[in-house]
């Protein structure tokens, strides 16, 4: 049976890279979708810090699977586009140090109350420019569906992934649920364009829960993803408040952390999220990876 590639946003276990390494190792993961390093967003760290982190990961037998960047998570009207392109270029430099080809990204917030279709032309122009820059550096951009951005529901994700096939798709069930998008129909529309999955689940009232416990139909989608040859997963717990959570979501579009599932520590919440994925994989015929 082909080996799976299991990774995580380990900054949800600890803001410190040493704690992230311990969390990945005890859960049998292969690496990180790296987002925070010692409390600093990965796009803002120095070259020397990146090299030091890379050595720690190498020594632990871990890798950076993808850059969990905030690229594309700006307002398409009010935020500086040129400054954001510079951030993309800097993120690519750090990706090279980490020896990863992949950068997770988004498709822009737009003013509240406006129709997203109003911004389609600008969104596509910017995404094409970003894809050009990435391609010239042998980097692949991976678009994640996210509430409040242009690509928040399946039809607009399909628009992006078919209009700009150089950009690959990341499927996040919880974000679709929180955007009012039924996930099975989203999967049916997007499955031919999905490169990897974020493992996160939620209810439509915005509560985030362990994978398989919400409305995201995560077990069914994972089963079909595996049957189609998919092997790449990133665990994104969101089961307990963590240091950088505030900066990850648009104001007024907050996830509800907690509820029925309560965890004493971030490590405990992280381990529960990993266990939920393992349970789903076991149900699909994948035991120890």
């Amino acid at each position: 049976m082909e080996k799976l590639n299991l990774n995580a946003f380990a900054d949800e276990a600890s803001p410190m890279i040493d704690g992230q390494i311990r969390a990945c190792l005890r859960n049998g993961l292969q690496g990180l979708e790296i987002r925070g390093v010692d409390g600093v967003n990965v796009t803002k760290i120095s070259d020397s810090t990146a090299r030091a982190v890379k050595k720690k990961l190498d020594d632990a037998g871990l890798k950076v699977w993808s850059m969990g960047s905030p690229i594309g998570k700006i307002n398409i009207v009010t935020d500086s586009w040129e400054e954001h392109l510079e951030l993309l270029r800097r993120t690519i430099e750090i990706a090279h140090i980490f020896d990863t080809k992949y950068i997770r990204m988004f498709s822009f917030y737009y003013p509240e109350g406006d129709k997203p279709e109003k911004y389609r032309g600008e969104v596509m122009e910017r995404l094409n420019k970003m894809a050009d820059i990435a391609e010239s550096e042998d980097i692949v951009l991976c678009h994640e569906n996210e509430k409040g951005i242009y690509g928040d529901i399946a039809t607009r994700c399909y628009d992006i992934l078919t209009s700009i096939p150089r950009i690959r798709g990341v499927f996040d069930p919880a974000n679709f649920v929180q955007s009012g998008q039924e996930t099975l129909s989203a999967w049916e529309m997007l499955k031919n364009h999905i490169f990897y999955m974020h493992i996160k689940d939620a209810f439509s009232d915005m509560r985030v829960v362990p994978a398989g416990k919400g409305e995201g139909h995560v077990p069914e989608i994972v089963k079909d993803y595996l049957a189609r040859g998919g092997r790449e997963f990133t665990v994104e717990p969101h089961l307990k408040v963590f240091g950088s959570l505030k900066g990850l979501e648009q104001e007024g579009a907050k996830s509800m952390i907690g509820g029925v599932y309560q965890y004493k520590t971030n490590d405990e919440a992280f381990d529960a999220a990993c266990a939920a994925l393992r349970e789903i994989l076991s149900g699909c015929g994948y035991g120890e990876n």
Side-chain angles (χ1 to χ4, degrees):
M1 187 174 290
E2 189 176 349
K3 189 174 179 66
L4 304 181
N5 180 21
L6 308 182
N7 306 283
F9 287 103
D11 58 344
E12 298 199 29
S14 171
M16 308 307 291
I17 195 65
D18 291 344
Q20 294 178 38
I21 289 171
R22 289 193 295 270
C24 287
L25 291 177
R26 72 171 176 265
N27 284 285
L29 306 181
Q30 281 72 58
L32 292 77
E33 184 154 340
I34 195 164
R35 183 173 57 197
V37 174
D38 296 345
V40 178
N41 186 274
V42 70
T43 62
K44 302 297 180 63
I45 65 174
S46 67
D47 286 1
S48 60
T49 296
R51 285 191 288 267
V53 170
K54 176 68 162 59
K55 185 179 186 307
K56 286 187 176 186
L57 293 173
D58 287 346
D59 290 346
L62 298 170
K63 68 180 187 306
V64 171
W65 157 245
S66 176
M67 298 285 287
S69 84
I71 296 299
K73 234 179 192 183
I74 61 170
N75 188 292
I76 200 165
V77 173
T78 59
D79 291 323
S80 171
W81 172 228
E82 291 305 319
E83 287 180 11
H84 206 60
L85 284 181
E86 287 307 307
L87 183 64
L88 172 61
R89 293 185 178 98
R90 177 59 187 152
T91 303
I92 289 171
E93 291 175 351
I94 300 169
H96 287 320
I97 295 173
F98 282 134
D99 196 26
T100 181
K101 290 185 62 170
Y102 307 116
I103 294 177
R104 181 279 305 265
M105 41 73 71
F106 304 91
S107 54
F108 306 105
Y109 295 123
Y110 52 89
E112 186 176 359
D114 280 0
K115 292 187 179 298
E117 291 76 16
K118 175 181 177 181
Y119 299 97
R120 182 189 182 279
E122 182 69 14
V123 167
M124 294 301 176
E125 182 178 339
R126 290 189 178 194
L127 293 180
N128 263 306
K129 176 64 174 177
M130 291 161 59
D132 286 342
I133 293 170
E135 189 173 48
S136 72
E137 294 283 346
D138 195 28
I139 292 288
V140 177
L141 299 182
C142 303
H143 176 268
E144 178 185 350
N145 58 286
E146 169 68 278
K147 52 190 177 293
I149 63 171
Y150 180 83
D152 59 349
I153 62 173
T155 51
R156 289 193 287 273
C157 288
Y158 183 83
D159 186 18
I160 290 167
L161 299 174
T162 55
S163 298
I164 314 172
R166 294 174 295 167
I167 295 177
R168 300 190 186 183
V170 181
F171 193 97
D172 188 309
N175 288 350
F176 275 135
V177 170
Q178 293 178 328
S179 297
Q181 169 70 64
E182 199 279 326
T183 56
L184 289 178
S185 59
W187 177 252
E188 197 61 31
M189 178 177 290
L190 298 172
K191 61 186 179 182
N192 291 330
H193 306 280
I194 297 303
F195 179 42
Y196 69 100
M197 288 192 64
H198 280 175
I199 299 301
K200 187 161 95 252
D201 205 349
F203 286 102
S204 53
D205 64 6
M206 307 300 282
R207 284 179 297 149
V208 181
V209 294
K213 308 301 182 184
E215 298 173 14
H217 297 285
V218 181
E220 299 100 306
I221 292 170
V222 166
K223 183 176 181 179
D224 191 52
Y225 174 67
L226 289 166
R228 298 172 59 81
R231 296 294 181 268
E232 323 292 346
F233 297 90
T234 294
V235 177
E236 186 177 15
H238 273 33
L239 297 177
K240 190 172 178 64
V241 174
F242 56 98
S244 59
L245 178 63
K246 184 177 180 181
L248 299 180
E249 299 187 308
Q250 188 179 30
E251 193 65 37
K254 301 299 185 184
S255 297
M256 291 176 60
I257 306 299
V260 176
Y261 298 92
Q262 294 286 335
Y263 304 96
K264 293 180 180 179
T265 66
N266 290 91
D267 274 319
E268 184 182 336
F270 183 86
D271 293 353
C274 292
L277 173 57
R278 294 284 188 186
E279 182 179 348
I280 290 170
L281 293 174
S282 179
C284 296
Y286 284 80
E288 290 299 316
N289 188 35

